[in-house]
DNA sequence: AAGTGGTCTAGACCACTTG
DNA sequence: AAGTGGTCTAGACCACTTT
């Protein structure tokens, strides 16, 4: 009766894990996107040959991971990586009053080059891969506050142009999703305090050697593959990095 | 048939929310502790007059919040705030190789005094409350790395002594739980880069003005009440603050 | 009115741990 | 063997949104 094979046998994955994995691969491949009508629970359960309860469990985990959203009475949707979600999930800088606001972004430089060892390692690329390097300055309340150095796989983002970056509406993660079908679903970050290098100091209007926060981030797709490496230098006189731990 | 009133009426909370709240209050009040046998699911469901599925939902949320742990075949337990959990949930500093290790702690100062406005505000205390102030230095691999200034409500931790702090085994959060019945369940942190003040520089063996990371943390109990305010100054030449975002 | 997700039930059967 | 949690089923009924 089930279209999935029996999970009780030793190494078989569980039903809800299987369902989840299939949903993830369909999101990654673009079969399911924010623009496409998502099947309702009964239809999905029928399709996978599982009960609604089991289907719900898979969906619930994807909701918890911010990949899907459900609205009672309306339906289930692939979550759009819009500005609101970006601020909520990936932008951890708040001003001293605790308010998160989307910064204005200025592209400083854009190039395509061979990956350094460090870049190749962070992104899981082979040694001779090509990468795009994007350098941005983010301003909050008119004050240059963050200096971003972004590295992405040139093959994954094939055809990306400077104009695309400059002319985009919304965040760079929306651009990844809309123009390249790559949905950023998570990120790991490592932070330390440093003295500003001359480049960052220059772009942020600081004296060289001023204390700044360095954030190194690797972003991951829904399939948990690294897709972006980023180093941010932050002038924390106006903003703070906010981290919330495990309570809703 | 149910011992909980019907949740379908307008303002009534849901069954599983009710069950969860009752479990939280029993953990906070010490009826359920790491040392007490936790009733099995069937018994709990019967006691609350709900089905096992509903009981499980409440327990699952508490497991997700790291307050309970379940082991198949063994049972459900109030999670012990031991060193392992502390490292996993609250200690975000890893060395450059990404390894988390518990530091050695040295008590530098201990006092009881009237709360400053800042302290009273952070802990939700009245203006004339008394607080304990604890100052620690944390060393990793023999290197003084973190300077902690901790403030806690003197009434909540009534009777705390310097000897208790110096003689404790395990983390200070274990002491809160074991000796005062206060289980830390979550924390919010705000980070910025600063120049070391003379006190921190002195304790960490740095030149005054060296770039350090300042972490301001408010810790919360299982009932979501603030119970500790802490400012940490971190020498990030050896360690980094690690933040993981929303993937299992 | 019809369709969606949200909550809840009352089981069955399995996997794991303990005595 | 007995007891525990883990997965899964096949519904019922409710709340909300859309048509």
């Amino acid at each position: 009766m089930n279209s999935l094979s029996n999970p009780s046998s030793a190494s078989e994955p569980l039903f809800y894990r299987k369902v989840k994995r299939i949903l993830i691969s369909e999101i990654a491949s673009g079969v399911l996107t924010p623009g496409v009508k998502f099947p309702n629970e009964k239809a999905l359960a029928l399709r996978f040959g599982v009960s609604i309860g089991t289907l719900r469990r898979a969906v619930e985990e994807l909701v918890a991971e911010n990949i899907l959203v459900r609205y009672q009475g309306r339906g289930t949707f692939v979550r759009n990586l819009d500005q609101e979600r970006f601020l909520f999930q990936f932008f951890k800088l708040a001003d001293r009053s605790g308010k998160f606001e989307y910064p204005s972004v200025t592209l400083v430089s854009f190039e395509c080059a061979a990956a350094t060892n460090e870049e190749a390692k962070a992104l899981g690329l082979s040694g001779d891969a090509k990468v795009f390097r994007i350098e941005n300055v983010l301003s909050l309340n008119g004050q240059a506050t963050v200096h971003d150095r972004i590295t992405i796989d040139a093959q994954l983002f094939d055809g990306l142009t400077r104009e695309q970056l400059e002319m985009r509406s919304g965040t760079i993660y929306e651009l990844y999703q809309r123009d390249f079908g790559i949905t950023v679903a998570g990120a790991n970050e490592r932070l330390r305090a440093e003295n500003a290098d001359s480049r960052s100091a220059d772009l942020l209007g600081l004296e060289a050697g001023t204390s700044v926060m360095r954030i190194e981030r690797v972003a991951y797709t829904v399939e948990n593959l690294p897709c972006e490496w980023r180093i941010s230098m932050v002038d924390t006189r106006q903003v703070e990095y906010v981290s919330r731990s495990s309570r809703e």
Side-chain angles (χ1 to χ4, degrees), chain A:
Chain A
M1 179 184 179
N2 288 325
S3 61
L4 275 48
S5 60
N6 193 330
S8 64
S9 70
S11 61
E12 279 300 332
L14 306 169
F15 279 181
Y16 79 92
R17 289 279 177 200
K18 275 192 177 181
V19 171
K20 185 181 170 186
R21 194 158 13 91
I22 295 171
L23 290 174
I24 285 176
S25 72
E26 296 197 349
I27 293 163
S29 71
V31 176
L32 298 173
T33 73
V36 172
K37 181 172 166 39
F38 206 91
N40 67 39
E41 297 186 337
K42 236 177 289 185
L44 271 180
L46 193 65
R47 178 183 145 205
F48 291 122
V50 299
S51 73
I52 288 191
T54 300
L55 184 275
R56 277 185 70 81
R57 176 149 187 188
V59 172
E60 260 154 26
E61 291 200 358
L62 292 168
V63 169
E65 292 170 17
N66 287 303
I67 292 168
L68 299 180
V69 267
R70 288 192 290 198
Y71 302 102
Q72 184 173 16
R74 287 214 282 143
T76 301
F77 306 88
V78 175
R79 186 154 176 175
N80 201 343
L81 223 176
D82 59 9
Q83 190 171 301
E84 194 188 338
R85 176 178 171 196
F86 180 80
L87 276 180
F88 175 69
Q89 195 176 353
F90 298 106
F91 192 75
K92 304 263 191 75
L93 299 176
D95 67 25
R96 288 293 161 88
S97 71
K99 213 165 52 191
F100 293 82
E101 245 172 70
Y102 190 68
S104 65
V105 183
T106 307
L107 180 66
V108 174
S109 75
F110 175 70
E111 62 171 355
C112 183
T116 64
N117 286 342
E118 200 180 11
E119 289 169 329
K121 194 180 161 206
L123 293 174
L125 304 175
S126 65
D128 56 352
K130 294 224 164 199
V131 295
F132 290 119
R133 295 203 189 99
I134 302 160
E135 200 176 12
N136 285 324
V137 170
L138 278 55
S139 297
L140 280 149
N141 306 320
Q143 173 68 49
T145 305
V146 183
H147 172 213
D148 276 341
R149 291 185 191 88
I150 299 172
T151 301
I152 53 179
D153 179 6
Q155 203 173 322
L156 204 57
F157 293 90
D158 188 35
L160 177 66
T161 65
R162 185 188 186 103
E163 288 66 38
Q164 233 175 323
L165 286 169
E166 282 174 326
M167 294 308 163
R168 77 169 186 270
S169 66
T171 75
I172 198 169
Y173 285 1
E174 276 180 272
L175 183 150
Y176 294 170
Q177 185 180 62
R178 183 169 13 88
D179 295 354
F180 299 94
I182 291 166
T183 298
V184 175
N188 289 341
E189 297 181 320
R190 296 185 303 165
L191 285 68
R192 50 203 214 224
E194 277 193 354
N195 297 315
D197 58 292
S198 61
R199 175 79 175 160
S200 293
D202 197 36
L203 290 169
L204 298 178
L206 303 171
E207 285 178 39
T210 304
S211 195
V212 293
M213 193 159 67
R214 177 191 189 273
I215 307 176
E216 181 176 348
R217 169 200 285 174
V218 179
Y220 296 87
T221 67
V222 283
E223 285 178 309
N224 237 351
L225 301 170
C227 60
E228 181 200 73
W229 184 58
R230 175 190 296 229
I231 293 187
S232 303
M233 295 298 207
V234 185
D235 174 2
T236 56
R237 289 175 309 177
Q238 316 271 356
V239 299
E240 290 177 312
Y241 182 97
V242 176
S243 165
R244 280 169 234 284
S245 153
S246 88
R247 303 288 291 179
E248 73 275 38

